[in-house]
Amino acid sequence: MKLSTKGRYGLMAMYNLKENEGKGPIALKDIAKEENLSESYLEQLFSLLKKAGLVKSIRGAGGGYVLSRAPKDIAIGEIINALEGDISLSCCDLGKNINCGKLKDCATRDILSKLQGQIEDVMESMTLADM
């Protein structure tokens, strides 16, 4: 399993906001320059982050983005899910797909279910403050 650039760059950008917390809104161009990322790509990511309620935008001169909550209240899983969608180890959603003909005899279902639970637990237990 590998995170796409959405997830990786989004985490980097959110870390940047965390590090600059209390200094006022941070412009995307400043984040892009500091993290060596594309500003236009960040615009797409921040649209998703804003829709998920993780950041707020401030308009006008000196505007930019700020975290919507304290870093300790933003789980890494929230960021990843906002950018990547739900992370799933199996194309069958670990048995949630009722059309799967191998549901009862699936050799991988138990281990994938266990791994899925562990990944979700870690992503929800770690916060932006932990980075």
Side-chain angles (χ1 to χ4, degrees):
M1 182 174 83
K2 184 176 178 179
L3 285 180
S4 74
T5 56
K6 279 184 183 180
R8 292 193 316 269
Y9 292 1
L11 282 173
M12 290 167 64
M14 290 291 284
Y15 176 79
N16 189 290
L17 287 182
K18 179 199 88 138
E19 289 295 292
N20 289 292
E21 189 179 31
K23 297 178 183 176
I26 307 298
L28 287 184
K29 68 178 180 178
D30 295 333
I31 296 172
K33 183 177 180 183
E34 192 170 322
E35 302 292 342
N36 196 27
L37 303 172
S38 161
E39 185 177 348
S40 61
Y41 194 49
L42 281 180
E43 287 173 2
Q44 296 172 38
L45 300 183
F46 271 76
S47 174
L48 295 170
L49 293 168
K50 184 177 176 185
K51 185 177 179 182
L54 299 173
V55 297
K56 294 187 286 190
S57 62
I58 311 296
R59 293 183 170 265
Y65 286 88
V66 295
L67 296 173
S68 64
R69 302 189 307 263
K72 68 179 181 59
D73 297 327
I74 299 175
I76 297 302
E78 286 183 274
I79 299 168
I80 299 298
N81 287 334
L83 297 167
E84 301 275 0
D86 289 333
I87 302 292
S88 180
L89 293 179
S90 175
C91 62
C92 69
D93 291 332
L94 300 175
K96 296 175 190 170
N97 181 352
I98 58 174
N99 294 322
C100 180
K102 295 184 178 187
L103 183 59
K104 291 180 181 175
D105 298 322
C106 182
T108 62
R109 181 172 182 233
D110 289 340
I111 188 69
L112 291 178
S113 179
K114 192 175 209 175
L115 287 170
Q116 183 74 39
Q118 293 290 324
I119 289 169
E120 289 170 3
D121 288 348
V122 169
M123 289 193 343
E124 292 307 315
S125 70
M126 294 177 58
T127 69
L128 194 53
D130 296 325
M131 287 182 71

